[in-house]
Amino acid sequence: MALKQKLISASTLLMQAVGELIPLPKSVRMTLDGFEFLRTVTGYQISQAISTAKKLGLFTFLENDKSLTEIAKFLKMTEPASIVLLDPCIVARIVKRKTKNGVETYGLTDYARKIFITKYWNPQSGQVDFIDCSWDTWKDLPEVLQGNDGHAHLKVYNRDSPIILNSASMMTSMLYKPAQELAKQLDLSKVNNIVCGTVGVSMAKAMMEQKPSIDLTVCCLPQLIDILPDVFKQFNYQKEPLEMVRNTGDAKIDGWGEVNIYEMIFLIRKFAWFTPDHGIDYLNRAMTNIRPGGYVILWEPYADMYDNVPWLKSSLQLADGMLGMPAPLWTKAQVVDFVNKAGYDDVKIVDTAGGTCTFIVARVPDKKAP
């Protein structure tokens, strides 16, 4: 990007930031609003370009810098067509263009390496797949929101949903590093058995890294139990779970394995896609199956985590509306209130990953109420 273009771009961003603090002249505000509107409504084009580049293997190819000629040959495109695909990847800050000794090359940014060149599933890479495999269903959004029950093909408990495995892998990957931080803050001395769903497997792995003697039981939907071998391989599990139980997703009737009484459970997104009763049922069930003093750990993308990025909160809420009942994200305080009312003790909000991932950690009372 030429210096003049960089200055124009920087000036636009600066004006947008200033406009949040002080009133701007109407003509300037109209121009900035126009740019923001166009950026938003054309975002699908950039999204599809990134998805196309991923499908064609471009990001793996660019692990080492390549010339335009090399890229065009790899993509089986003309050089001008390759530029058309590369430019949106540059705008998205996952590809960078460099010139050295008069030779122009393209390579991945440091951020892109974390997304596309990684040992574990990466949630950002999974997000690209999520949008791609649900693309044609978004035209049904008017009917979906009016129906108040998610998209028929994408609903969370629909076994044939084309995105349920993708959605699970995104969350599983996203929670691993934050769970490693969390594990170091917990007293695991009395934790011997963990029960969780497939998405919680990465969190269980983080706990077992701190205490290898912990045993694991996995209870989840059949389609997610089916992918467990791949999940264990991705997260380098060294010992098999005690049991893998196929469930329906109804906390009132599902079995939780032969161990039955555990010291830790992860409740992940139990307050999404349904009425609050769904999450409350899981809290009540955990009170029965978790030993007194044991941990209940909840994770949600809480609304107040996105005060500085409201567009992301809006996107998450829309995606949730396609997967189940559309509703605003819960705040941390609201979920803490659910946990307190369910009768748990020592309820704490634990921020990890620089405040971008929050867990609510609670204990089952030493003396459960009759």
Coordinates of all heavy atoms in Angstrom, one line a residue, residues 235-269:
F235 N -5.8 -33.4 20.6 CA -5.3 -32.9 21.8 C -4.4 -33.9 22.6 O -4.1 -33.7 23.7 CB -6.5 -32.5 22.7 CG -7.2 -31.3 22.2 CD1 -8.3 -31.4 21.3 CD2 -6.7 -30.0 22.5 CE1 -8.9 -30.3 20.8 CE2 -7.3 -28.9 22.0 CZ -8.4 -29.0 21.2
N236 N -3.9 -34.8 21.8 CA -2.8 -35.7 22.3 C -3.1 -36.4 23.6 O -2.4 -36.4 24.6 CB -1.5 -34.9 22.4 CG -0.3 -35.8 22.5 OD1 -0.3 -37.0 22.1 ND2 0.7 -35.3 23.2
Y237 N -4.3 -36.9 23.7 CA -4.7 -37.7 24.9 C -3.9 -38.9 25.0 O -3.7 -39.7 24.1 CB -6.2 -38.0 24.8 CG -7.1 -37.1 25.6 CD1 -7.4 -35.9 25.0 CD2 -7.6 -37.4 26.9 CE1 -8.3 -35.0 25.7 CE2 -8.4 -36.5 27.6 CZ -8.7 -35.3 27.0 OH -9.5 -34.4 27.6
Q238 N -3.4 -39.2 26.2 CA -2.5 -40.4 26.5 C -3.3 -41.5 27.1 O -2.8 -42.6 27.1 CB -1.4 -40.0 27.3 CG -0.4 -38.9 26.7 CD 0.2 -39.4 25.4 OE1 0.7 -40.5 25.3 NE2 0.1 -38.6 24.4
K239 N -4.5 -41.2 27.6 CA -5.3 -42.3 28.2 C -6.8 -42.2 27.8 O -7.3 -41.1 27.6 CB -5.1 -42.4 29.7 CG -5.8 -41.4 30.5 CD -5.6 -41.7 32.0 CE -6.2 -40.7 32.9 NZ -6.0 -41.0 34.4
E240 N -7.4 -43.3 27.6 CA -8.8 -43.4 27.1 C -9.7 -42.9 28.2 O -9.4 -43.1 29.4 CB -9.1 -44.8 26.7 CG -8.4 -45.3 25.4 CD -8.8 -44.5 24.2 OE1 -10.0 -44.3 24.0 OE2 -7.9 -44.2 23.4
P241 N -10.9 -42.3 27.8 CA -11.9 -42.0 28.9 C -12.4 -43.3 29.4 O -12.4 -44.4 28.8 CB -12.9 -41.3 28.1 CG -12.8 -41.7 26.7 CD -11.3 -42.0 26.5
L242 N -12.9 -43.2 30.7 CA -13.5 -44.4 31.3 C -14.8 -44.8 30.5 O -15.1 -46.0 30.4 CB -13.9 -44.0 32.7 CG -12.8 -43.7 33.7 CD1 -13.4 -43.4 35.1 CD2 -11.8 -44.9 33.8
E243 N -15.5 -43.9 30.0 CA -16.8 -44.2 29.3 C -17.1 -43.1 28.4 O -16.8 -41.9 28.6 CB -17.9 -44.4 30.4 CG -19.1 -45.1 29.9 CD -20.1 -45.3 31.0 OE1 -19.8 -45.0 32.2 OE2 -21.2 -45.9 30.7
M244 N -17.8 -43.4 27.3 CA -18.4 -42.4 26.3 C -19.9 -42.7 26.2 O -20.3 -43.7 25.6 CB -17.7 -42.5 25.0 CG -16.2 -42.1 25.1 SD -15.3 -42.2 23.5 CE -15.1 -44.0 23.3
V245 N -20.7 -41.8 26.7 CA -22.1 -42.0 26.9 C -22.8 -41.2 25.8 O -22.6 -40.0 25.8 CB -22.6 -41.7 28.3 CG1 -24.1 -42.0 28.4 CG2 -21.8 -42.4 29.3
R246 N -23.7 -41.8 25.0 CA -24.5 -41.1 24.1 C -25.8 -40.6 24.7 O -26.6 -41.4 25.3 CB -24.9 -42.0 22.9 CG -23.6 -42.5 22.1 CD -24.0 -43.6 21.1 NE -22.7 -44.1 20.5 CZ -22.1 -43.6 19.4 NH1 -22.7 -42.6 18.8 NH2 -21.0 -44.1 19.0
N247 N -26.0 -39.3 24.6 CA -27.1 -38.6 25.3 C -28.0 -37.9 24.3 O -27.7 -37.7 23.1 CB -26.6 -37.7 26.4 CG -26.2 -38.4 27.7 OD1 -26.6 -39.5 27.9 ND2 -25.5 -37.7 28.5
T248 N -29.1 -37.4 24.9 CA -30.1 -36.7 24.1 C -30.0 -35.2 24.2 O -30.5 -34.4 23.4 CB -31.5 -37.0 24.5 OG1 -31.8 -36.6 25.8 CG2 -31.7 -38.6 24.4
G249 N -29.3 -34.7 25.3 CA -29.2 -33.3 25.5 C -30.2 -32.8 26.5 O -30.4 -31.6 26.8
D250 N -31.0 -33.7 27.1 CA -32.0 -33.4 28.2 C -31.4 -33.8 29.5 O -31.3 -35.0 29.8 CB -33.3 -34.2 27.9 CG -34.4 -33.8 28.8 OD1 -34.1 -33.3 29.9 OD2 -35.6 -33.9 28.5
A251 N -31.0 -32.8 30.3 CA -30.4 -33.1 31.6 C -31.2 -33.9 32.6 O -30.7 -34.6 33.4 CB -30.0 -31.8 32.2
K252 N -32.5 -33.8 32.4 CA -33.4 -34.5 33.3 C -33.5 -36.0 33.1 O -33.7 -36.8 34.1 CB -34.8 -34.0 33.2 CG -35.0 -32.5 33.7 CD -36.4 -32.1 33.6 CE -36.6 -30.7 34.1 NZ -38.0 -30.2 34.0
I253 N -33.2 -36.5 31.9 CA -33.4 -37.9 31.6 C -32.1 -38.6 31.2 O -32.0 -39.8 31.3 CB -34.4 -38.2 30.5 CG1 -33.9 -37.6 29.2 CG2 -35.8 -37.6 30.9 CD1 -34.9 -37.9 28.0
D254 N -31.0 -37.9 30.8 CA -29.8 -38.5 30.3 C -29.0 -39.2 31.4 O -29.0 -38.7 32.6 CB -28.9 -37.5 29.6 CG -29.4 -37.1 28.2 OD1 -30.2 -37.9 27.6 OD2 -29.1 -36.0 27.8
G255 N -28.3 -40.3 31.1 CA -27.4 -40.9 32.0 C -26.0 -40.2 32.0 O -25.7 -39.7 30.9
W256 N -25.4 -40.2 33.1 CA -24.0 -39.5 33.2 C -22.9 -40.5 33.5 O -21.9 -40.1 34.1 CB -24.1 -38.4 34.2 CG -24.7 -37.1 33.7 CD1 -25.5 -37.0 32.6 CD2 -24.6 -35.8 34.2 NE1 -26.0 -35.7 32.4 CE2 -25.4 -34.9 33.4 CE3 -23.9 -35.3 35.3 CZ2 -25.5 -33.6 33.6 CZ3 -24.1 -33.9 35.5 CH2 -24.8 -33.1 34.7
G257 N -23.1 -41.7 33.1 CA -22.0 -42.7 33.2 C -22.0 -43.5 34.5 O -22.7 -43.1 35.5
E258 N -21.3 -44.6 34.5 CA -21.3 -45.5 35.7 C -20.6 -44.9 36.9 O -20.9 -45.2 38.0 CB -20.6 -46.8 35.3 CG -21.4 -47.6 34.2 CD -20.7 -48.9 33.9 OE1 -19.7 -49.2 34.5 OE2 -21.2 -49.6 33.1
V259 N -19.7 -43.9 36.7 CA -19.0 -43.3 37.8 C -20.0 -42.6 38.7 O -20.0 -42.6 39.9 CB -17.9 -42.3 37.4 CG1 -17.3 -41.6 38.6 CG2 -16.8 -43.1 36.7
N260 N -20.9 -41.8 38.0 CA -22.1 -41.2 38.5 C -21.8 -40.0 39.4 O -22.5 -39.0 39.3 CB -23.0 -42.2 39.3 CG -24.4 -41.7 39.6 OD1 -25.0 -41.1 38.7 ND2 -24.8 -41.8 40.8
I261 N -20.9 -40.1 40.3 CA -20.5 -38.9 41.2 C -19.1 -38.4 40.8 O -18.2 -39.2 40.8 CB -20.6 -39.3 42.7 CG1 -22.0 -39.8 43.0 CG2 -20.2 -38.1 43.5 CD1 -23.1 -38.8 42.8
Y262 N -19.0 -37.2 40.5 CA -17.8 -36.6 39.9 C -17.4 -35.4 40.8 O -18.1 -35.0 41.7 CB -18.0 -36.1 38.5 CG -18.4 -37.2 37.6 CD1 -19.8 -37.5 37.4 CD2 -17.5 -38.0 36.8 CE1 -20.2 -38.5 36.6 CE2 -17.9 -39.0 36.0 CZ -19.3 -39.3 35.9 OH -19.7 -40.3 35.1
E263 N -16.1 -34.9 40.5 CA -15.7 -33.7 41.3 C -15.6 -32.5 40.4 O -15.3 -31.4 40.9 CB -14.2 -34.0 41.8 CG -14.2 -35.0 43.0 CD -14.2 -36.4 42.5 OE1 -13.6 -36.7 41.5 OE2 -14.9 -37.2 43.2
M264 N -15.9 -32.7 39.1 CA -15.9 -31.5 38.2 C -16.7 -31.8 36.9 O -16.7 -32.9 36.4 CB -14.4 -31.2 37.8 CG -14.3 -30.0 36.8 SD -12.5 -29.6 36.4 CE -12.0 -28.9 38.0
I265 N -17.4 -30.7 36.5 CA -18.2 -30.8 35.2 C -18.1 -29.4 34.6 O -18.0 -28.4 35.2 CB -19.7 -31.1 35.4 CG1 -20.4 -31.3 34.1 CG2 -20.4 -30.1 36.3 CD1 -21.8 -31.8 34.2
F266 N -18.0 -29.5 33.2 CA -18.0 -28.2 32.4 C -19.4 -28.1 31.8 O -19.8 -29.0 31.1 CB -16.9 -28.3 31.4 CG -15.6 -28.7 31.9 CD1 -14.9 -29.8 31.5 CD2 -14.9 -27.9 32.8 CE1 -13.7 -30.1 31.9 CE2 -13.7 -28.2 33.4 CZ -13.1 -29.3 32.9
L267 N -20.0 -27.0 32.0 CA -21.3 -26.7 31.4 C -21.1 -25.6 30.3 O -20.9 -24.4 30.7 CB -22.3 -26.3 32.4 CG -22.7 -27.3 33.5 CD1 -23.7 -26.8 34.5 CD2 -23.1 -28.6 32.9
I268 N -21.0 -26.0 29.1 CA -20.6 -25.1 28.0 C -21.8 -24.7 27.2 O -22.5 -25.6 26.6 CB -19.5 -25.7 27.1 CG1 -18.3 -26.0 28.0 CG2 -19.2 -24.8 26.0 CD1 -17.2 -26.8 27.3
R269 N -22.1 -23.4 27.1 CA -23.2 -22.9 26.4 C -24.6 -23.5 26.7 O -25.4 -23.7 25.8 CB -23.0 -23.0 24.9 CG -21.7 -22.2 24.4 CD -22.0 -21.2 23.3 NE -22.9 -20.1 23.8 CZ -23.4 -19.2 22.9 NH1 -23.2 -19.3 21.6 NH2 -24.2 -18.3 23.4

